[in-house]
Amino acid sequence: MNEAAAVSRAGRTCLLCGRADRSVTLFTSTRAIMACRACGLVFADRDAPVPLGDYPREYFQGGPYADYVADEPAVRRTASARLQHLETVATGRRLLDVGCATGAFLEVARKRGWHVHGLERSAYAVEIAQQRLGNVVEGGSITDDGRVLPAVDVITLWDTLEHLDRPDEALARVRAALSPGGLVALSTGDYGSLLRRITGRRWRLFADPTHNFFFTEHTLTAVLTRVGLLPIAIWRSGKWVSLSLILHQLRHPLATRVRNQIVRRGWEPSLFVNLWDTMTVYARSAEES
Ligand SMILES: [Zn+2]
C-alpha cells in the first residue's frame, strides 16, 4: 500500500479538495478532529468507530439529547418559525425533510398545508415518525444506492449535514431532486463562529460523537457550489430549545437535579437561544440563476 492510500484508509483524505497529505489533527475527543490545511475543511476521523452511530434510542434519550420526544414542544416552535419564513420564499408546498428524526417538523408542516416527505437513518426515530405521518417517512440514508427522492419544491436538512458520511454526495442528490425554482434550506454549525473560538475543543458541536463535519461559511459555500447549488442567503439563526435540554447538556450534577425537578412537574419551558454558532442557508440550483 502506498502512503496516500494509507492516509486515505485513516480517513484523512479531504472530502472538499481531495488532498490526502495536508490534514492535521487539531485534537482528539471521542475521535480525532482534523483540519485540511489546503482548503480549511474541518472533519472527524471517519474511519474511527462512532459511538451511537446508528442513532438508537440511547442517542435520543440520555445521549446528546436528554429526551428528544419529551423536548419536542421546542422543536415544534422552531418548526413553525422556519416554515413561516420558508412560505414567503418557496414556490410550492411539496417538502422533503432529510434527517427528519421523529417527524416533528413534518407534522407542523403538514398542519400548515404542506405535502410532506421525510427521510431518516435512525430506525428508532423512523418508527415514531411513521406512527405520526405514515409511510411518507422512509428509513435510510439519502446516499443509499438506488434511493429515489420525490420531486419537491423545498428540501430541508436541519442540523443534518454534519452527521453525514458524504455531505457532498447528499447535496448533489438534493440538487437533482429539486423541481424548477426549488429551494434548499439547511442549518449546520459554524466552525468559524466566535463561540467556537472561545470554547475551543469544548465547543458544543464537538460533544455529539456522530458529528463528522464542522463547516465554516467558506467551506460550506464551496461544497454547495461544487454540486451546483448557489447560496442565496446565509445567516446565523437561533432556535427554541427546551430548558430540560439545556440543563442536560451542561452535564453538571446540580443542573441534572434541577432538570429532574422540571421533568417531574411536567413543565415544558423553552427559550429562544441564538449563540451565533449555527448557520442557516437557503440555496437554489445554480443553473437557474
Ligand atoms: Zn481540503
Side-chain angles (χ1 to χ4, degrees):
M1 186 189 305
N2 64 32
E3 196 184 333
V7 170
S8 175
R9 270 174 55 82
R12 287 171 189 148
T13 299
C14 175
L15 174 133
L16 185 54
C17 71
R19 297 285 293 267
D21 57 343
R22 296 294 301 277
S23 55
V24 290
T25 300
L26 300 176
F27 66 91
T28 298
S29 55
T30 52
R31 294 177 295 160
I33 304 296
M34 291 177 256
C36 173
R37 281 194 292 193
C39 73
L41 185 68
V42 177
F43 51 97
D45 179 353
R46 297 190 301 283
D47 278 1
V50 180
L52 304 174
D54 56 351
Y55 307 97
R57 175 187 292 271
E58 294 71 32
Y59 177 83
F60 294 91
Q61 282 184 355
Y65 295 98
D67 187 338
Y68 188 87
V69 172
D71 290 342
E72 276 182 344
V75 177
R76 291 171 199 279
R77 287 182 85 169
T78 304
S80 293
R82 283 172 167 167
L83 287 158
Q84 206 170 359
H85 196 261
L86 276 172
E87 286 159 10
T88 66
V89 188
T91 51
R93 292 290 180 272
R94 292 171 302 169
L95 169 71
L96 168 65
D97 189 26
V98 178
C100 68
T102 51
F105 177 76
L106 292 175
E107 270 192 305
V108 175
R110 184 181 267 179
K111 281 195 188 122
R112 295 178 70 98
W114 289 76
H115 185 75
V116 301
H117 298 272
L119 191 54
E120 170 55 47
R121 251 185 72 185
S122 162
Y124 163 77
V126 166
E127 195 182 326
I128 295 171
Q130 286 180 338
Q131 280 166 11
R132 293 169 166 177
L133 293 148
N135 61 7
V136 295
V137 175
E138 285 184 62
S141 171
I142 188 170
T143 50
D144 289 342
D145 287 340
R147 165 79 54 204
V148 178
L149 299 177
V152 292
D153 308 295
V154 175
I155 300 181
T156 52
L157 306 94
W158 304 122
D159 303 332
T160 296
L161 211 54
E162 63 272 25
H163 292 269
L164 303 180
D165 295 326
R166 291 299 303 256
D168 54 340
E169 282 180 16
L171 288 169
R173 296 209 186 190
V174 160
R175 203 206 74 67
L178 278 182
S179 294
L183 184 74
V184 181
L186 65 88
S187 61
T188 191
D190 180 5
Y191 183 82
S193 64
L194 181 64
L195 188 68
R196 198 282 303 166
R197 287 162 205 260
I198 292 171
T199 54
R201 69 182 61 189
R202 294 175 60 86
W203 185 37
R204 60 195 190 90
L205 272 287
F206 292 136
D208 186 328
T210 66
H211 286 176
N212 291 324
F213 290 92
F214 308 93
F215 296 99
T216 61
E217 188 167 327
H218 176 78
T219 55
L220 182 58
T221 301
V223 174
L224 288 165
T225 308
R226 184 206 274 184
V227 301
L229 287 167
L230 184 75
I232 54 170
I234 302 182
W235 70 99
R236 303 313 183 271
S237 51
K239 61 180 178 183
W240 291 93
V241 185
S242 77
L243 182 59
S244 151
L245 179 59
I246 293 169
L247 293 167
H248 172 73
Q249 291 186 339
L250 287 174
R251 308 242 172 231
H252 187 279
L254 180 62
T256 304
R257 285 220 299 277
V258 174
R259 180 182 174 271
N260 292 342
Q261 286 295 325
I262 290 172
V263 171
R264 202 168 297 137
R265 284 157 206 244
W267 294 347
E268 292 170 347
S270 54
L271 293 82
F272 188 82
V273 179
N274 189 350
L275 300 171
W276 292 84
D277 65 346
T278 303
M279 299 177 277
T280 299
V281 182
Y282 285 179
R284 290 194 192 280
S285 170
E287 282 168 22
E288 291 170 16
S289 354

